[in-house]
Amino acid sequence: MNDFPQSGRPVPAWFTDAKFGIFVHWGAYSVSAWAEPTGELGVVDPDVWFKHNPYAEWYWNTIRIEGSPAQEHHRTTHGGRPYDEFLDEWKAELFDPADWVELFARAGARYVVPTTKHHDGIALWDAPGTGIRNTVHRGPRRDLIADLAAAVRARDLRFGVYYSGGIDWYAGRRDPVLHEDRMDEGRPHEAAYAAYAHRQVIDLIDRHSPDVLWNDMGWPRAGQADLPELFSYYYATVPEGVVNDRWDNAHADYLTSEYEADRANEWGACWENTRGIGFSFGYNQTEGPEHLLDPADAVRLLVDVVSRGGNLLLNVGPKADGTLPQEQRAVLEGMASWMACHSEAVHATRPLESGSADPHDGDPWVRWTRDERHIYAFVADVPDEAGGRVALKTRPGLLDPDTAERLDGDTVKAEAGPEGIHITSAGLDTPLPTAIRFATR
């Protein structure tokens, strides 16, 4: 375990060793499945973001913004009908949780975190206080969280829960959020909503003992005084559980970043970057290949995050029928093929000590990880004219060239040079990284 100053408690080794998790955003918004693919959070101008929100799971908010393209789309395509009609049309008739989880596991994920209630307030279980406005009584007519939890744990993965504590457009009715500077105007802070949210999180803990308690958008001010008791109850129930940082600075076992936002959090002692395969978390039918990661992009993202000491929580957005979009499956299948021989260079590794070896962007692309017995160099995009030869800049004496071997079994030659280690091997010109293992001295 590693001491983490944000909460003052050790972060369980399972979480720091996991490196890769799968986020699942699935809801009534998967029926509309529409957003403008404007760009990544943290890159799009904040003055543009909400009116042209690329997050399909924010559809109910975006269609309430006057003059937004989503509002026009909702009027012309759906006749401006009430958002809750999407709940009844969401059938999940092809949902096969075991199929999902088998793919997640082969892709290298060690934990899975589904949305149990997003900002639209629709619960994916029979949540207390929701009446029939949940997936047990309407739409899919099943406890989607229980079904997924069972499949995840049957595959020996860790199971977490996402809960939108700070925003609920139904139980905590507010005008639409128009700008990040006015985000707090869209958040319910009254005691009644605080009690409602508190009761639902306790119910999730009691039902599922989740390994990750992943809150979003803060917590109502009227309920802040109750959070210490909630966290104590959670840790008593799940001693190896972890809590994220989105509780309005009340508590955190680890910090989070999202796409390009909050990147300063990536230098904490324990952190997690999250993003979708495209620009949206919820399934967005308007996204094309130009908006999506390809398998090499996803692998490089994972390797980069791990090389800097973080975890990657990569999101999938299922369709309303319960199938994973083929484009998203293809990314995970590509990761699975790569992980089949490279996982040891990812799971249970740590970054190299500062100054030991240099990462590099461009041609070539290089990242580093290590475990107790080995150091791993990830290499991609070696220029054709280099003839498969690349110099890995390292501290003198760090690596023994005689121990170099490729994890995929292909041949590699290594020799000491003035700047570190020179390696020669075929196939290093591709964007998909190749891991080369060295025994530590």
Side-chain angles (χ1 to χ4, degrees), residues 212-235:
V212 182
L213 191 58
W214 214 105
N215 185 60
D216 201 10
M217 308 305 295
W219 197 254
R221 280 192 290 271
Q224 288 285 324
D226 298 323
L227 284 178
E229 174 272 331
L230 186 151
F231 298 134
S232 294
Y233 182 76
Y234 171 63
Y235 293 130

Side-chain angles (χ1 to χ4, degrees), residues 280-293:
S280 176
F281 286 91
Y283 172 56
N284 182 8
Q285 60 185 313
T286 72
E287 290 184 335
E290 69 274 20
H291 307 121
L292 306 174
L293 300 176

Side-chain angles (χ1 to χ4, degrees), residues 266-278:
E266 296 181 358
W267 305 105
C270 189
W271 57 274
E272 175 188 75
N273 174 254
T274 186
R275 61 157 293 154
I277 289 174

Side-chain angles (χ1 to χ4, degrees), residues 353-367:
E353 295 81 1
S354 178
S356 294
D358 291 339
H360 191 268
D361 289 315
D363 303 328
W365 185 92
V366 179
R367 293 294 186 274

